[in-house]
């Protein structure tokens, strides 16, 4: 009886089980949150003001951080990077198992190789670069870190293996899959939005590639695609800074935003995203330039990059010709009130009075003045030295040939220093700096040059002379009258 009473008072066993793990809203959410969990412990020593004072970051890093930060590239194999890119690009029902596998693959890559790498930084002749030292801590990684579930609820301390098991055990029954092509593509782009590049839903670059990573060659056969997601980083991670700089110059000529001097020789998201666009152009080329490049022993993007350089150069020359021929000068949008205000100000400065008819007659002068002022300002801005001018004017030189005003900068892999051009040289390349004038100055000069205005000014001067003589005569007569009394 007593045992029966206890059984009745106690809740059923099934009621004491833990609440089922929260489900993700989508496969994309499962991927992004899994890749955002801190799982791998690194110590990153960054350059400080002195050799002894270095900034130190000690923490667990996520898969996304390790994959997207080029400083960690030596720790991760190309094969693992390709798997990561495939998962991100194809967020489908098979991705769950791939995520679990990748969590272990990343650990195996990091733990099986060197535990410490030095990321060498470029420097100048006067200021050597300061290296970043990255060290993997296997014990702290195995000890685990605090991780969260789909709703942000803490799961406690889990290491990479235990977290992988939690992902594997997560139910995906209620997850709505993006089965339509457009939805799948958008989901992939959402995951990769932070990287800032144009993305496709395939594991490889190029719209002609298949979801399995193949592309048709010139013979009509399906072959492995030349550019895989992640190659925009991995293909260039082993390059010396001097090689990276040579590519930076070419990419700037092809239209990439120019890096600053401090970024010379460094492969960043800017370079990677631009190269992604080059990869797409090469893969989709109807002349199969990537195939020809590879057959010639060149990087598969060589021809595509050169074509972009040529196209941008030709476009710049064409625009310059159009500007010189005044084809691109558009009339400014100026209101009647602005026209009247500008002419009134100019008339006041010239000491003349404009009639209503004058405002009509000289209205075009005001419109032209606004347009010329804008053109002068544009020319002035174009005469200023930019980052693009600096990088395209930078060359390698023997240190003994460095001239006055030039600045040497040493990059790893180069026998001689990289020499930045002098200010005088760059200004000489730009030509004379144009004078900037306001619309008021321009319209005043235009009015002053007109004969009718000059006549009005002369008449005003004669009138002023008459007034002055009259006033002087009246003052003299007044003095005589006073003297007579």
């Amino acid at each position: 009886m007593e045992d029966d009473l206890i059984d009745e008072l106690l809740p059923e066993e099934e009621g004491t089980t833990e609440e089922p793990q929260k489900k993700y809203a989508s496969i994309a959410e499962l991927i992004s949150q899994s890749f955002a969990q801190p799982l791998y412990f690194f110590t990153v020593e960054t350059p400080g003001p002195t050799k002894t004072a270095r900034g130190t970051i000690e923490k667990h890093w996520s898969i996304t951080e390790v994959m997207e930060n080029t400083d960690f590239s030596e720790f991760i194999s190309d094969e693992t990077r390709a798997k990561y890119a495939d998962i991100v690009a194809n967020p489908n029902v098979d991705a769950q198992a791939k995520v679990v596998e990748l969590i272990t693959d990343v650990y195996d890559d990091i733990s099986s190789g060197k535990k410490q790498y030095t990321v060498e930084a470029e420097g100048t002749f006067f200021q050597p670069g300061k290296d970043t030292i990255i060290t993997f801590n296997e014990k702290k990684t195995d000890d685990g870190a605090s991780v969260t579930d789909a709703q942000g609820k803490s799961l406690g301390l889990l290491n990479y293996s235990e977290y992988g098991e939690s992902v594997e055990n997560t139910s995906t029954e209620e997850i709505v899959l993006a089965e339509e092509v457009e939805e799948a593509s958008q989901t992939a782009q959402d995951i990769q939005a932070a990287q800032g590049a144009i993305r496709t839903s395939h594991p490889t670059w190029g719209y002609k590639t298949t979801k399995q990573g193949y592309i048709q060659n010139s013979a009509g056969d399906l072959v492995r695609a030349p550019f895989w997601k992640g190659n925009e980083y991995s293909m260039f991670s082993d390059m010396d800074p001097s090689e990276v700089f040579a590519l930076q110059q070419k990419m700037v000529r092809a239209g990439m935003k120019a890096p600053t001097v401090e970024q010379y020789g460094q492969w960043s998201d800017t370079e990677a995203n631009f190269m992604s666009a080059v990869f797409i152009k090469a893969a989709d080329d109807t002349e199969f330039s990537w195939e020809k490049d590879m057959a010639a022993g060149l990087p598969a993007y060589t021809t595509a990059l050169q074509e972009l350089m040529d196209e941008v150069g030709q476009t710049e020359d064409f625009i310059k010709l159009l500007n010189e021929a005044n084809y691109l000068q558009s009339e400014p949008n100026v209101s009647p009130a602005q026209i009247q205000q500008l002419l009134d100000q100019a008339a006041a400065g010239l000491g003349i009075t404009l009639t209503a008819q004058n405002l009509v007659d000289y209205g075009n002068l005001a419109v032209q003045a606004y347009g010329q002022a804008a053109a002068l300002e544009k020319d002035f801005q174009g005469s200023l030295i930019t980052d693009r001018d600096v990088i395209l004017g930078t060359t390698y030189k023997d240190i003994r040939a460095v001239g006055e005003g030039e600045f040497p900068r040493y990059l790893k892999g180069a026998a001689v220093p990289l020499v930045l051009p002098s200010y005088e040289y760059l200004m000489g390349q730009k030509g004379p700096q144009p004078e900037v004038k306001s619309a008021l100055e321009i319209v005043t000069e235009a009015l002053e040059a007109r004969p009718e205005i000059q006549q009005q000014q002369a008449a005003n001067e004669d009138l002023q002379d008459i007034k002055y003589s009259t006033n002087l005569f009246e003052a003299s007569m007044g003095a005589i009258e006073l003297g007579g009394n």
Side-chain angles (χ1 to χ4, degrees):
M1 287 287 293
E2 184 178 349
D3 290 341
D4 293 339
L5 180 60
I6 292 174
D7 289 340
E8 290 180 12
L9 292 174
L10 288 176
E12 295 182 7
E13 185 177 349
E14 63 179 10
T16 63
T17 59
E18 294 183 359
E19 180 183 349
Q21 189 171 342
K22 298 289 185 180
K23 297 180 175 61
Y24 293 92
S26 66
I27 287 290
E29 185 181 356
L30 183 149
I31 294 171
S32 61
Q33 290 204 25
S34 299
F35 286 173
Q37 297 295 334
L39 299 175
Y40 314 98
F41 194 95
F42 287 93
T43 298
V44 178
E45 297 180 75
T46 55
T50 66
K51 288 184 178 179
T52 56
R54 299 175 65 89
T56 301
I57 302 174
E58 293 184 308
K59 70 166 190 171
H60 286 83
W61 297 69
S62 69
I63 287 181
T64 298
E65 289 175 314
V66 171
M67 288 295 184
E68 302 301 342
N69 189 332
T70 55
D71 287 349
F72 291 87
S73 59
E74 295 291 346
F75 289 96
I76 307 298
S77 67
D78 287 345
E79 182 181 359
T80 301
R81 288 187 179 280
K83 290 181 179 179
Y84 169 77
D86 177 48
I87 293 170
V88 171
N90 296 282
N92 52 43
V93 69
D94 299 325
Q96 183 179 13
K98 293 179 181 178
V99 168
V100 175
E101 181 182 353
L102 186 74
I103 291 172
T104 301
D105 288 344
V106 171
Y107 177 84
D108 290 342
D109 279 359
I110 298 171
S111 60
S112 61
K114 287 175 59 177
K115 300 299 187 293
Q116 185 180 89
Y117 283 98
T118 298
V119 182
E120 297 182 353
E122 85 284 0
T124 67
F125 179 73
F126 305 101
Q127 182 67 45
K130 298 173 182 177
D131 300 336
T132 297
I133 301 172
I134 304 178
T135 307
F136 172 64
N137 191 313
E138 188 169 352
K139 182 180 183 305
K140 289 188 177 181
T141 298
D142 291 341
D143 288 343
S146 178
V147 297
T148 58
D149 64 9
Q151 307 303 318
K153 180 181 177 181
S154 176
L155 297 177
L157 288 176
L158 297 180
N159 64 24
Y160 76 96
S161 179
E162 293 166 335
Y163 181 72
E165 291 177 4
S166 74
V167 174
E168 186 175 18
N169 295 330
T170 298
S171 172
T172 59
E173 291 178 1
E174 297 180 9
I175 291 181
V176 178
L177 299 178
E179 296 176 344
E180 297 295 329
V181 173
E182 293 81 7
E183 292 177 345
S185 176
Q186 183 60 48
T187 305
Q189 291 177 18
D190 288 343
I191 299 174
Q192 303 166 358
Q195 300 179 34
I198 299 173
R199 306 285 175 176
T200 68
S201 59
H202 292 194
T204 53
W205 291 112
Y207 295 99
K208 289 185 176 181
T209 61
T210 69
K211 285 192 174 183
Q212 290 71 41
Y214 290 92
I215 190 172
Q216 194 174 59
N217 64 11
S218 58
D221 300 323
L222 282 178
V223 297
R224 182 180 171 86
F227 310 109
W228 285 71
K229 301 289 179 64
N231 283 167
E232 67 272 21
Y233 290 98
S234 61
M235 285 178 67
F236 311 96
S237 60
D238 294 331
M239 280 187 170
D240 284 335
S242 60
E243 297 174 304
V244 171
F245 175 77
L247 258 182
Q248 284 175 322
Q249 279 190 317
K250 290 181 179 180
M251 289 191 289
V252 168
R253 287 193 173 94
M256 184 184 79
K257 179 183 176 183
T260 62
V261 174
E262 292 75 17
Q263 296 168 324
Y264 287 2
Q266 298 182 22
W267 194 265
S268 68
D269 289 344
T270 300
E271 285 78 12
N273 291 337
F274 187 85
M275 190 55 74
S276 299
V278 178
F279 286 171
I280 293 173
K281 176 178 174 61
D284 293 343
D285 184 24
T286 56
E287 299 296 324
F288 302 95
S289 63
W290 58 270
E291 187 180 34
K292 297 174 184 176
D293 287 339
M294 293 174 68
L298 300 172
Y301 59 80
T302 303
T303 298
L305 181 58
Q306 184 60 51
E307 288 177 353
L308 279 174
M309 291 166 58
D310 295 341
E311 289 169 7
V312 170
Q314 292 168 4
T315 301
E316 288 177 343
D317 291 341
F318 184 58
I319 291 176
K320 184 178 179 181
L321 287 173
L322 291 177
N323 277 322
E324 290 175 353
N326 208 38
Y327 278 108
L328 298 184
Q329 299 297 328
S330 58
E331 290 294 326
N333 187 14
V334 185
S335 68
Q338 289 176 298
I339 294 174
Q340 181 173 348
Q341 183 182 27
L342 184 65
L343 291 174
D344 286 343
Q345 290 176 337
L350 293 173
I352 60 174
T353 302
L354 297 179
T355 65
Q357 185 59 44
N358 291 147
L359 294 176
V360 174
D361 294 339
Y362 302 146
N364 193 47
L365 290 179
V367 174
Q368 291 176 355
Y370 277 113
Q372 290 172 20
L376 288 173
E377 177 63 26
K378 181 180 178 182
D379 291 343
F380 176 77
Q381 293 299 328
S383 72
L384 300 178
I385 297 173
T386 64
D387 289 332
R388 188 176 192 273
D389 299 319
V390 176
I391 190 171
L392 295 184
T394 299
T395 57
Y396 288 102
K397 282 186 181 180
D398 189 301
I399 188 64
R400 295 166 294 184
V402 176
E404 184 177 353
E406 295 180 330
F407 300 94
R409 186 180 183 85
Y410 284 90
L411 294 181
K412 181 184 176 183
V416 293
L418 195 63
V419 178
L420 277 63
S422 67
Y423 175 82
E424 289 74 19
Y425 170 80
L426 290 174
M427 289 304 296
Q429 293 292 102
K430 288 286 188 176
Q433 203 165 46
E435 180 185 2
V436 178
K437 290 183 179 181
S438 67
L440 179 59
E441 291 175 300
I442 294 171
V443 79
T444 299
E445 291 176 0
L447 288 173
E448 199 170 19
R450 297 183 73 88
E452 63 273 22
I453 299 298
Q454 293 173 359
Q455 291 174 7
Q456 188 176 158
Q457 284 181 303
N460 287 342
E461 289 176 4
D462 291 341
L463 181 60
Q464 292 298 323
D465 289 342
I466 293 172
K467 287 182 178 180
Y468 175 77
S469 299
T470 301
N471 291 338
L472 182 62
F473 175 75
E474 290 176 351
S476 299
M477 292 301 295
I480 293 173
E481 291 177 2
L482 289 173
N485 291 336

